């Protein structure tokens, strides 16, 4: 019984560090983001809806954690991931 192992193919695209989003009006529906508090990721997922003034958005959290309201006034930071990068 033989096994046929292939070497792992590495992505040709370099890993990109998620960029902080300073102006939340730059966030759009379906953007993949990490939400941080004091440098720790407290939520990850996909933007569902954002207020026009960018002070709040709804996040569809990864892993079935449901929908969560994210308020800018809580001192949170947001990092947007490229569409091909998943946590």
């Amino acid at each position: 019984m033989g096994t046929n192992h292939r070497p792992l193919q590495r992505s040709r695209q370099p890993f990109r560090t998620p960029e902080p989003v300073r102006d939340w009006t730059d966030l759009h529906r379906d953007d993949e983001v990490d939400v941080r508090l004091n440098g720790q990721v407290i939520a990850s997922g996909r933007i569902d809806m954002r207020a026009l003034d960018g002070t709040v958005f709804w996040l569809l959290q990864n892993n079935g954690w449901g929908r969560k309201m994210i308020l800018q006034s809580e001192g949170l930071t947001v990092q947007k991931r490229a569409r091909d990068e998943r946590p």
Side-chain angles (χ1 to χ4, degrees), residues 11-64:
S11 173
R12 294 180 191 260
Q13 297 177 351
F15 176 76
R16 290 173 278 178
T17 303
E19 293 288 326
V21 179
R22 287 178 174 71
D23 182 356
W24 287 14
T25 60
D26 291 336
L27 295 171
H28 301 284
R29 185 181 182 111
D30 293 330
D31 282 347
E32 294 281 339
V33 298
D34 293 327
V35 180
R36 295 177 176 266
L37 179 62
N38 299 323
Q40 299 289 330
V41 175
I42 61 165
S44 292
R46 184 170 41 90
I47 302 288
D48 183 36
M49 186 184 307
R50 176 190 44 84
L52 290 175
D53 65 0
T55 59
V56 62
F57 64 86
W58 285 95
L59 181 71
L60 293 172
Q61 298 180 91
N62 292 336
N63 302 320

